[in-house]
Every structure is written in structure tokens, then in C-alpha cells.
Amino acid sequence: MGALTRVRAASVAAWHSFLRRRTAVFFTFFFPVIIVLIFGVLVGTQPTGGGLFTEPPAYYIPGYLAVVVLFTPLSRVGSEVARHRAGNQFEKLATTPLSRGEWLLAQTLVNVVVIGLAGLLLLALVVLATGADVTLSPLVVPFLVAGVALFCGVGALLGSFADSQDGVIAASNAIALPLLFLSETFVPPDLLPAWFRPAMQLSPLTYFARGVRALTSEPAAETWFGMAAPGPLLYFGVLAGVTVVCFAAGAASLPRTD
């Protein structure tokens, strides 16, 4: 049995496992919809006034996508690893040809499909509910794939070192909430203190947001460590580099036995 066959079989099993958890399926799609309805419809944007949402609706598309790219892999993969540890599943996995990296890749592929579907739903809802002028580009797909793989790797790290599923959820929220609002997603840099803005460029989610924003709407006047902002290709390069490191670390952290 080759590696592709093993990954495919593990992906199919993970997909059916996801579908059996109807509550997880519901909230995977319901949570980002609520975010769009609250921020995009109830709060709304104020392009000519003050307040938090001062940019055109299309500016916040990376933020809406970041909700599912960030929260879903962290919680799903982290909880899956914690469940496998609690049920001694990694000890059984060690007796099969499936490697830890292949297992994590299978989980990542399932998350890519789930988040891809949720992303399409979000884009449609944003356009219908807020009237955002969106430029659809197929180059957004690599950003989504890289972002999902990155946070699947981080989720694997959390699941490997947290002492329980509750610990995974708490750690996921502690990481995801600051990243979501401090990575040029919903909060423009000029609304934050000048001393903090360079720190935003240390977040990989910043490069996801910048790249997606440049591909879906008119790019804002951004700077990159004080220099003129580069194009989406460089943003993707940074994101992909961090993704490789986090995915490899997540795969290596998975226990061989329990």
C-alpha cells in the first residue's frame, strides 16, 4: 500500500468521522455565519465615520475567512489528537503502515474541504448581506490551503501537549482570539498604537489577511517593516514557509504510543 493510498483511506475515514458528529458539522458552518451577521450586518461599516468598522465591506473578507481558517483546524485537529490519546489510538496507529505525518496530512485534507465549503458560504453571504464588491481570484485557494495546514499543525501541537480536550479548547481560544483581531483582519493597523504595529507582522495570519485582501479587493496602503508593501506572492511565500515549519512540528509531536 503506497503513501497516497494510505492518506486517501485515512482521509475518507476522517471525513465520515466528521459527518457523524452532527453538532460539530452544524457549528462549523453556523459560527462564521453568525460572525458575518453580527459584524457585517448588525454593526456594519462606516466608511465616512468613526468607529472600528471604518473600511469598505470587502476589506473585512480576510477576517471572515480567517475565522474558519484559524478556529476550525485548531479545535478540530487538537480535539482529535486529544481523543486519540485518551483512547490509546496512537498506540494502535503505530502498528499500521500509516505514519504520523500521513495521519496529519489526512486530517488536513479533510479540513481543507470543510473550510473550503465554509469559505464559499461566507463569501456568498458577505456579498449578499453587505454588498461587498469582491474580486474572485483562484489564487485565494493556495492561501486557504496554506492557512489550514498551518493551523492543523499548531492544533496537533496543542493536542499532543495539552492534558485533556478541555485543555485543547482553552489553549485554542487563548491563541486564536488575539491572532484574529491583531493580525490585520478586522482591525486596521492605524487603529492600534504605533509601537505595536511591527508586532503584527510577526503573525502568520497577517500575511494570510494581506494576501487575500490584495486578491479580493483593492489593496490598502500597507507597509512591511517600514517599506512599501510587496505583492501577494511574497505574502504567500512567508505564509508557506511558516506552514511547513508548523506542520512538520505538529507531525513530529504526535505520540507514537500513549
Side-chain angles (χ1 to χ4, degrees):
M1 180 184 293
L4 290 178
T5 303
R6 293 195 298 269
V7 171
R8 179 180 179 276
S11 298
V12 171
W15 174 255
H16 288 295
S17 175
F18 169 69
L19 292 180
R20 284 194 296 268
R21 299 186 180 99
R22 296 181 181 179
T23 303
V25 173
F26 176 77
F27 281 102
T28 295
F29 294 96
F30 181 71
F31 179 63
V33 169
I34 287 296
I35 294 295
V36 172
L37 293 177
I38 291 175
F39 291 136
V41 178
L42 297 181
V43 177
T45 60
Q46 304 173 38
T48 58
L52 177 60
F53 287 83
T54 57
E55 303 292 339
Y59 179 89
Y60 300 100
I61 287 176
Y64 297 131
L65 291 177
V67 171
V68 288
V69 168
L70 178 60
F71 280 89
T72 303
L74 282 180
S75 61
R76 288 199 67 247
V77 175
S79 296
E80 193 71 15
V81 172
R83 278 194 296 269
H84 272 58
R85 289 175 58 200
N88 297 321
Q89 293 300 310
F90 284 111
E91 189 172 49
K92 299 174 184 177
L93 183 64
T95 65
T96 71
L98 189 70
S99 69
R100 293 176 295 171
E102 291 169 350
W103 182 88
L104 184 56
L105 178 59
Q107 298 294 324
T108 300
L109 292 176
V110 172
N111 277 276
V112 166
V113 174
V114 170
I115 292 167
L117 294 174
L120 289 174
L121 175 63
L122 279 174
L123 287 174
L125 186 59
V126 168
V127 172
L128 292 174
T130 69
D133 185 13
V134 180
T135 302
L136 294 179
S137 170
L139 296 178
V140 172
V141 175
F143 277 90
L144 283 173
V145 172
V148 172
L150 189 158
F151 291 109
C152 281
V154 176
L157 286 167
L158 295 180
S160 297
F161 295 111
D163 56 0
S164 65
Q165 284 185 248
D166 290 340
V168 169
I169 298 301
S172 297
N173 291 334
I175 292 173
L177 285 174
L179 282 181
L180 181 62
F181 292 101
L182 299 177
S183 300
E184 297 191 22
T185 49
F186 291 108
V187 182
D190 56 4
L191 294 183
L192 295 171
W195 60 265
F196 183 78
R197 294 171 195 168
M200 300 176 73
Q201 303 185 67
L202 300 177
S203 166
L205 198 63
T206 293
Y207 300 97
F208 171 86
R210 287 181 171 183
V212 172
R213 184 170 294 121
L215 293 169
T216 57
S217 63
E218 289 296 325
E222 299 169 340
T223 59
W224 194 65
F225 290 103
M227 301 179 292
L233 185 60
L234 185 53
Y235 294 142
F236 179 76
V238 175
L239 181 65
V242 178
T243 296
V244 170
V245 172
C246 290
F247 187 89
S253 72
L254 296 175
R256 294 184 182 274
T257 57
D258 303 290

